[in-house]
């Protein structure tokens, strides 16, 4: 078997990015998606209203509260949570499909979602990364310059930021997103290494058996 055949048998990773709002996880997620077109983004369902420029089915599936509750009752969500007064959840079916096809799935979810996915049956294939801001002052500055939220919403997001940050130690990796280029390079390094985890390479067993046969034939 050639090495390219082995990598084709790669299992998909569930890559979770969390951070307090404004630390930069969406920016890093967008860059990752552009870096590797085989990555698939888990489009969450949410009951919050779309922001300017957000498209249904691309950034989120925008649903009403009864529609969201129906999805949860039908067992369609891998995880779900109440965040900033709205419901958010990750539909399970597209995730299972991608993983089975050996594609990684990227999640932008809060700590509650990260915890639920990390405790799910797919836990062995989870890579969780927490993004911290370099300072609280800079976090506020980023929320203000993003220009997407009212002063009231920014206030609410800042109030909630410590709650999110306090869960930093439940993640596999933590990135302090000071310089964006440095953070992105580190993120790519983490993903490249995690893809090589033994459990992510189901073809290794067969490959090692092949090595053993060859060993016995050539050396034995
Ligand atoms: P989040 O998804 O975590 O809420 P965003 O990715 O929307 O945050 O980033 C918030 C704002 O901060 C955006 O305007 C983004 O361009 C900016 N930003 C992200 N990372 C950095 C960085 N390392 N340095 C400076 N600005 C950044
Ligand atoms: P926003 O409204 O700014 O898009 O997202 C608000 C928060 O909800 C962010 O912390 C984001 O990570 C989180 N979030 C988005 N989608 C999901 C999801 O499907 N599940 C969970 N648990 N959190 C989500």
């Amino acid at each position: 078997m050639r090495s390219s055949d082995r990598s084709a048998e790669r299992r998909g990773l569930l890559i979770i990015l969390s951070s307090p709002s404004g630390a930069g996880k969406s920016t890093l997620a967008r860059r990752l998606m552009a870096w590797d077109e085989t990555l698939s983004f888990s489009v969450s369902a949410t009951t919050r209203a779309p922001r300017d420029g957000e498209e249904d089915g691309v950034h989120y599936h925008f649903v009403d509260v009864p529609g969201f509750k129906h999805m949860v009752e039908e067992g369609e969500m891998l995880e779900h949570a109440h965040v900033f007064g709205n419901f958010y959840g990750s539909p399970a079916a597209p995730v299972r499909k991608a993983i089975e096809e050996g594609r990684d799935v990227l999640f932008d979810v809060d700590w509650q979602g990260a915890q639920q996915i990390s405790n799910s049956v797919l836990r062995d294939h989870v890579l969780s990364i927490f993004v911290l801001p370099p300072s609280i002052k800079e976090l506020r500055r980023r929320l203000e310059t993003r220009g997407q939220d009212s002063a009231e919403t920014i206030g609410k997001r800042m109030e909630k930021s410590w709650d999110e940050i306090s869960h930093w130690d439940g993640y596999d990796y933590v990135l302090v997103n000071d310089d964006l280029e440095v953070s992105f390079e580190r993120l790519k390094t983490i993903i490249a290494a995690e893809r090589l985890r033994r459990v992510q390479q189901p073809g290794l067993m067969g490959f090692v058996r092949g090595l053993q046969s060859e060993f016995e034939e050539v050396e034995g």
Side-chain angles (χ1 to χ4, degrees):
M1 189 190 279
R2 284 167 299 138
S3 62
S4 56
D5 296 328
R6 290 201 309 282
S7 61
E9 286 181 45
R10 193 167 80 72
R11 193 163 277 153
L13 279 171
L14 284 75
I15 305 172
I16 302 174
L17 280 181
S18 301
S19 76
S21 187
K25 69 184 169 306
S26 311
T27 306
L28 288 164
R30 269 195 303 276
R31 286 201 166 204
L32 278 180
M33 297 299 295
W35 166 64
D36 182 348
E37 58 191 24
T38 68
L39 268 177
S40 90
F41 183 70
S42 169
V43 180
S44 298
T46 182
T47 58
R48 87 150 160 74
R51 297 192 189 114
D52 277 353
E54 282 185 336
E55 267 181 66
D56 188 34
V58 176
H59 299 91
Y60 280 105
H61 299 290
F62 294 101
V63 296
D64 57 13
V65 174
F68 188 92
K69 290 191 167 161
H70 180 74
M71 291 175 85
V72 173
E73 280 158 16
E74 292 297 307
E76 291 174 22
M77 296 297 198
L78 179 59
E79 61 76 32
H80 60 93
H82 198 241
V83 190
F84 303 130
N86 294 296
F87 292 107
Y88 293 82
S90 311
V95 178
R96 291 212 185 91
K97 183 170 184 289
I99 297 304
E100 277 160 20
E101 290 171 3
R103 284 183 291 120
D104 301 334
V105 183
L106 185 60
F107 295 83
D108 173 342
V109 298
D110 81 330
W111 69 270
Q112 303 172 83
Q115 214 168 64
Q116 290 172 47
I117 298 169
S118 300
N119 290 327
S120 75
V121 288
L122 298 169
R123 70 170 77 85
D124 288 346
H125 308 289
V126 169
L127 161 58
S128 63
I129 303 156
F130 196 82
V131 182
L132 281 172
S135 68
I136 299 300
K137 206 170 145 195
E138 172 64 8
L139 183 66
R140 176 173 273 283
R141 192 199 66 78
R142 287 184 190 172
L143 280 176
E144 286 168 355
T145 54
R146 184 167 70 179
Q148 279 181 342
D149 299 304
S150 64
E152 191 197 342
T153 305
I154 290 176
K156 271 199 210 160
R157 287 175 186 266
M158 286 303 295
E159 264 175 43
K160 280 278 178 191
S161 64
W162 193 256
D163 184 34
E164 188 72 25
I165 292 173
S166 68
H167 293 93
W168 68 279
D169 58 352
Y171 289 73
D172 299 322
Y173 293 86
V174 176
L175 279 178
V176 178
N177 180 23
D178 192 351
D179 181 299
L180 185 60
E181 298 308 321
V182 172
S183 301
F184 184 52
E185 285 307 312
R186 289 181 178 166
L187 192 52
K188 286 189 291 184
T189 302
I190 292 167
I191 292 172
E194 291 282 324
R195 282 176 171 168
L196 295 171
R197 254 159 43 181
R198 184 167 45 80
V199 292
Q200 295 310 118
Q201 302 186 70
L204 276 181
M205 183 72 88
F207 178 71
V208 174
R209 277 203 203 104
L211 280 183
Q212 187 182 9
S213 306
E214 185 189 349
F215 184 83
E216 284 163 6
E217 197 180 300
V218 178
E219 301 288 328

